[in-house]
């Protein structure tokens, strides 16, 4: 993980990033993802951010991560079999490129409401058919995740997410009342919905196939870019605030003045303090 901001940060300066970090310290995972997305998309209002499909949001977060800390991400996974720690590199650009082509519907479901571009995903609906069921649903958004998070237990959160995203359902051609959903949906139908959503919005569910070099066990590791980027931002913010403290103590400079220094000049002054 990089210890300093390396890119232009989508127009954010150090003070702006610290403000994002400060606001996120007191909130949960979805709230932090929303703050990071707002940093990546400063022209978007809150309603637009909440209505963005999760995969589109995560693609923006991968781009923000590349702008702030570089393209290469260090991913660490613990082997479930031998508990060996594994570390490998992953490219943020690779995740962004995983988005669906704009000239065809996603595999596993038919897309209504336009081709699956970033602009149409939030308004589009998908349809799956399984075991006599025909279900029309939309992709989950950040707002859906926020409401699901408030539901509490994982099973309740999953059902709340389905309730919000399933638009209509039929069983053997007969409509199922909306107020009954998602209750009657069998597990295999719910699984097909999840698969179709993942194929339509692939950045929402980044899974990496890894093999343990010690025992050969093969596993799938999930990469949550919002949590990953927040961990990096948190480490950067705490290091930056320590730098501010040391330089303010040594030179009497204000936080504004210290944050205005380039990372290279700030590091040089810190080295002078250490040598003094």
């Amino acid at each position: 993980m990089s210890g300093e901001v390396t890119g232009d940060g989508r127009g954010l300066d150090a003070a702006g990033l610290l403000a994002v970090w400060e606001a996120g310290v007191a909130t949960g995972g979805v709230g932090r993802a929303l703050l990071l997305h707002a940093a990546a998309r400063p022209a978007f209002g809150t309603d637009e951010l909440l209505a963005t499909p999760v995969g589109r949001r995560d693609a923006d977060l991968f781009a923000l991560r590349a702008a702030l800390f570089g393209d290469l991400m260090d991913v660490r996974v613990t082997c479930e079999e031998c508990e060996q720690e594994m570390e490998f590199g992953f490219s943020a650009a690779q995740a962004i490129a995983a988005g669906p082509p704009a000239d065809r519907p996603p595999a596993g479901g038919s897309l209504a409401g336009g081709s699956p571009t970033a602009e149409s995903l939030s308004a589009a609906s998908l349809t799956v058919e399984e075991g006599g069921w025909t279900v029309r649903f939309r992709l989950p958004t950040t707002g859906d995740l926020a409401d699901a998070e408030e539901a509490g237990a994982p099973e309740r959160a999953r059902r709340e997410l389905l309730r919000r995203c399933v638009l209509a359902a039929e069983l053997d051609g007969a409509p199922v009342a909306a107020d009954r959903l998602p209750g009657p949906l069998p597990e295999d139908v719910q699984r097909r919905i999840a698969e179709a959503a993942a194929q339509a919005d692939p950045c929402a569910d980044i899974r990496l196939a890894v093999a343990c070099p010690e025992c050969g066990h093969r596993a799938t590791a999930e990469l949550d870019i919002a949590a990953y980027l927040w961990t990096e931002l948190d480490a950067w913010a705490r290091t930056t605030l320590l730098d501010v403290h040391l330089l303010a103590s040594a030179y009497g400079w204000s936080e504004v003045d210290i944050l205005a220094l380039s990372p290279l000049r700030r590091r040089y002054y810190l080295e002078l303090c250490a040598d003094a």
Side-chain angles (χ1 to χ4, degrees):
M1 182 182 72
S2 174
E4 65 183 37
V5 172
T6 59
D8 63 11
R10 294 290 180 98
L12 277 177
D13 57 12
L17 286 173
L18 284 174
V20 172
W21 170 79
E22 185 177 6
V25 167
T27 188
V30 176
R32 289 171 178 172
L34 185 62
L35 287 166
L36 291 170
H37 196 200
R41 292 284 185 179
F44 280 20
T46 300
D47 289 344
E48 287 178 284
L49 294 170
L50 289 172
T52 301
V54 176
R56 178 66 267 164
R57 179 203 71 183
D58 285 0
D60 288 340
L61 295 188
F62 275 110
L64 178 63
R65 196 278 173 187
L68 293 176
F69 299 108
D71 178 67
L72 187 62
M73 303 170 63
D74 293 327
V75 181
R76 295 176 176 85
V77 179
T78 301
C79 178
E80 298 174 348
E81 292 293 319
C82 68
E83 298 185 349
Q84 172 75 19
E85 293 290 330
M86 297 177 284
E87 182 176 349
F88 54 92
F90 181 77
S91 168
Q94 184 179 352
I96 298 170
D103 58 353
R104 63 174 175 82
S110 58
L111 181 64
S115 57
T117 61
E119 292 74 17
S120 66
L121 279 174
S122 60
S125 64
L126 298 103
T127 300
V128 296
E129 297 179 356
E130 178 74 24
W133 285 88
T134 301
V135 181
R136 186 167 62 87
F137 67 99
R138 61 172 177 77
L139 296 172
T141 65
T142 299
D144 296 326
L145 293 187
D147 282 353
E149 187 177 62
E150 294 180 358
E155 179 59 26
R156 292 179 61 186
R158 186 177 70 87
R159 294 183 65 81
E160 175 62 16
L161 198 59
L162 271 172
R163 186 191 69 79
R164 290 178 61 88
C165 294
V166 171
L167 304 175
E170 295 180 357
L171 177 58
D172 295 329
V176 177
D179 59 3
R180 294 182 58 203
L181 298 172
L185 295 178
E187 286 295 326
D188 55 347
V189 175
Q190 296 184 31
R191 184 168 57 252
R192 286 280 289 111
I193 292 172
E195 291 170 351
Q199 290 168 338
D201 201 16
C203 273
D205 189 25
I206 298 291
R207 296 179 183 270
L208 310 175
V210 297
C212 177
E214 194 70 22
C215 70
H217 176 71
R218 302 188 67 84
T220 301
E222 181 179 353
L223 177 56
D224 182 345
I225 180 57
Y228 185 102
L229 181 54
W230 174 259
T231 298
E232 287 189 310
L233 180 63
D234 183 64
W236 171 85
R238 294 176 189 276
T239 298
T240 299
L241 290 177
L242 178 59
D243 292 350
V244 169
H245 167 71
L246 293 173
L247 292 177
S249 299
Y251 296 102
W253 296 336
S254 69
E255 180 183 82
V256 172
D257 292 335
I258 295 169
L259 293 178
L261 295 171
S262 69
L264 179 61
R265 291 174 64 189
R266 194 185 309 155
R267 185 164 63 246
Y268 179 75
Y269 282 119
L270 288 167
E271 291 173 356
L272 290 176
C273 292
D275 293 339

